Amino acid sequence: MKVEIWSDIACPWCYIGKRRFEAALAGFEHRDDVEVSWRSYQLDPSLPEVFDGTEVQYLSERKGIEPAQLAGMLKQVTEQAAGVGLAYDFESLVVANSFPGHRLIHLAKAEAGPAAADAVKEALLAAHFEQGRNIGSTDVLAEIGAGVGLDPERVRAVLATDDYTDAVNQDIAEARSLGVNGVPFFVIDRKYGISGAQPPELFTQALETAWAESRPLQMVSTPDTGTDGSADGPACGPDGC
């Protein structure tokens, strides 16, 4: 079973949603047969490499909301994050464009596999929301790449080119084609969509439903065949019994 997750590194609910989904997946009986694929999305492609100001100032300018109101909203998000074991620090957060980070995730998947991509995603979210690091910095991205086994010089070389730019843009375009207008957004087997950082119970229900529907009925029979040589027991059909 495949789960695709569209999310942005600069999205606080995406990190919370990741934790809630992981909690559901950890308790899912068939978790070892679930492939998780991170897909790119940008909430603000127009953001400069680094915004000269705080998260509150950035959101106030972008959304036109009073700073005092925004501070209250961020406090609520911080409390929700703490509920899943995350320590958000919006005062130290560096407002930076997430596009290079998305390229790094694609690089990690291409050269080291899905597990490495997941580890990079985790490291980027932690760097952004908990550690006050610049997720647009090549130095930071090279260090994060090295942490999952990538050659840091290879990361620097890739980021100096346009490699994986098309892959990120294709993810974003595909999100639009699916009608995604907010993240996180979870798609299970291209059949079920889940919008937002839902409770673990909802993810559990969706995983169990999708698993049941994707597996054909398994026939159970006794080791000995019937008197007619078949593995079926006595039964009636359209032509009689």
Side-chain angles (χ1 to χ4, degrees), residues 89-195:
D89 183 359
F90 284 107
E91 292 186 3
S92 300
L93 187 149
V94 178
V95 183
N97 193 295
S98 62
F99 200 91
H102 286 295
R103 292 173 61 205
L104 176 61
I105 294 170
H106 277 277
L107 169 64
K109 182 177 181 179
E111 299 195 354
D118 183 80
V120 167
K121 179 73 172 186
E122 175 70 25
L124 286 167
L125 288 165
H128 188 61
F129 288 108
E130 298 183 306
Q131 300 163 5
R133 306 183 75 190
N134 180 2
I135 59 169
S137 164
T138 299
D139 289 339
V140 171
L141 296 176
E143 183 180 333
I144 288 174
V148 302
L150 297 178
D151 181 348
E153 294 309 312
R154 167 65 175 156
V155 173
R156 293 177 185 277
V158 167
L159 293 178
T161 69
D162 291 329
D163 289 358
Y164 299 105
T165 293
D166 287 345
V168 176
N169 287 329
Q170 286 171 8
D171 277 358
I172 296 171
E174 192 167 0
R176 293 196 197 99
S177 70
L178 291 172
V180 177
N181 54 24
V183 287
F185 196 89
F186 304 75
V187 177
I188 303 177
D189 278 346
R190 287 300 172 108
K191 186 173 183 180
Y192 292 98
I194 302 172
S195 178

Side-chain angles (χ1 to χ4, degrees), residues 42-51 58 62 96-99:
Q42 273 202 300
L43 293 169
D44 186 6
S46 67
L47 186 67
E49 289 186 13
V50 177
F51 175 80
Y58 162 68
R62 183 172 182 267
N97 193 295
S98 62
F99 200 91

Side-chain angles (χ1 to χ4, degrees), residues 33-55:
D33 294 310
V34 177
E35 175 190 348
V36 177
S37 178
W38 290 101
R39 308 297 297 272
S40 301
Y41 191 92
Q42 273 202 300
L43 293 169
D44 186 6
S46 67
L47 186 67
E49 289 186 13
V50 177
F51 175 80
D52 186 17
T54 65
E55 178 80 340

